[in-house]
Amino acid sequence: MPPTEKGTLVLDLAAEGPLSPELVRTVNEFCDRVEDHAEKSASAAVAVVRLHGGEDGATGSWPGGDGGIRLVNRWERALRRMERLGAVTVVVLTGRCAGPALDLVLTADYRIAATGATLVPPIDAGHFWPGMALHRLVTQIGVARTRGLLLRAGELTAARSAELGLLDEVTDDIDGVPAARAREFGGVAGPEFAVRRRLVLDAPASAFDDALGVHLAACDRALRYARRLAEPDPAPIAALTGGAR
C-alpha cells in the first residue's frame, strides 16, 4: 500500500504460525488505536489489516502451540472487538495465508486479495478447527458451502475464495486498490456504520418481533443524527459576532 491515507490505521501481520499471546495482544492494541482515534478525531477512520503469507512450505496446524483454551478464548474476544469496531475494516491478503487469516477475513467489512494469494482454512489434527470461524462461515456463506469446506478443507485460491463469498475483490494492483478503497470508505461515519453492521450481524439469529425494537432504536438514532447534521455550526457565527456577550 502506498503512503497511508489520513485516517487510515494499518496493522501488518504474518498470516502463518500458531496462535500466541503476542498475536492476541497485537490485535487488541490495534483495536485500542482505532477506538482511540474515534474518540479523539472528528474524521472517520478506516482500519486496514494487511496479512502477509509465506510463499510456500508448511504453515503448521491452527491454533498449534500449547496455549490452551484460555488463549483461544482471548483470541475469540479480540476477534469480536475487530468485528465491532467503530470504523470500516478492510483486510488485504498476499501470499499463502494460513494461521489467523480466515478468522481475520471473516471479521472484516471488505476483503481484498492479490491474484496469486491463497487462503488455507484452519486445520487441527486433520480436521477443520471448530472455532467461531465456523459460526461466521455459516452466517456469511451458508450451511451448504460451509459443510463443503469441512469435507474438503484444502487450500483455496483467491478466485475460489471470491466465488465462495470470502473475498470482495481480487486484484493485481495490491497496493493501489486497497488505497483506493481506504479513500472510498474514509467518508463513512464509523459509529453510525457500526450500528448498521451490528443489525446485519444479528439478523440471522433474531426473530422479526425481537429485532423490531432494536431496529426502531437505530432508526431513532439515525433521525437524531440527521438533525444534528442539518443544524448550523455555531462556531462560525460566534466568530463573526465576537461570541456571546
Side-chain angles (χ1 to χ4, degrees):
M1 208 170 164
T4 303
E5 297 287 332
K6 183 179 180 181
T8 300
L9 297 101
V10 178
L11 172 64
D12 285 292
L13 282 178
E16 53 188 341
L19 177 60
S20 66
E22 291 74 23
L23 176 60
V24 175
R25 182 170 58 252
T26 298
V27 170
N28 274 318
E29 288 175 351
F30 181 64
C31 292
D32 290 340
R33 285 174 52 203
V34 177
E35 291 168 356
D36 187 60
H37 179 278
E39 290 179 2
K40 295 182 178 179
S41 175
S43 63
V46 176
V48 179
V49 180
R50 300 191 296 207
L51 297 172
H52 307 282
E55 294 302 319
D56 51 33
T59 55
S61 64
W62 179 263
D66 54 1
I69 196 62
R70 289 186 179 180
L71 181 59
V72 172
N73 182 44
R74 288 171 55 199
W75 172 243
E76 294 291 0
R77 290 178 181 276
L79 292 170
R80 191 60 166 163
R81 286 188 71 189
M82 286 286 295
E83 196 169 40
R84 294 184 171 188
L85 282 176
V88 177
T89 53
V90 179
V91 68
V92 182
L93 284 70
T94 57
R96 186 174 188 265
C97 296
L102 182 61
D103 275 330
L104 290 165
V105 163
L106 293 172
T107 62
D109 297 312
Y110 199 81
R111 302 96 180 250
I112 304 170
T115 303
T118 57
L119 185 58
V120 182
I123 302 298
D124 180 62
H127 297 280
F128 202 108
W129 172 246
M132 288 302 291
L134 275 178
H135 184 276
R136 292 186 175 95
L137 280 169
V138 170
T139 59
Q140 293 181 30
I141 69 172
V143 172
R145 285 181 166 181
T146 302
R147 186 170 53 209
L149 289 178
L150 289 181
L151 292 171
R152 297 173 176 169
E155 192 167 340
L156 302 171
T157 64
R160 179 57 179 155
S161 296
E163 288 176 4
L164 289 169
L166 298 174
L167 298 175
D168 296 292
E169 200 164 355
V170 179
T171 179
D172 289 323
D173 187 5
I174 201 58
D175 288 329
V177 168
R181 296 297 165 265
R183 289 192 296 271
E184 178 184 352
F185 302 145
V188 177
E192 298 306 310
F193 173 75
V195 170
R196 290 150 179 80
R197 178 210 286 138
R198 178 71 177 271
L199 295 174
V200 170
L201 293 177
D202 290 348
S206 303
F208 181 91
D209 289 339
D210 294 335
L212 179 58
V214 180
H215 280 260
L216 288 175
C219 290
D220 181 60
R221 174 191 172 102
L223 291 170
R224 288 185 282 110
Y225 179 74
R227 285 196 293 269
R228 288 199 304 272
L229 291 181
E231 291 174 356
D233 185 353
I237 298 175
L240 289 173
T241 60
R245 296 182 182 277

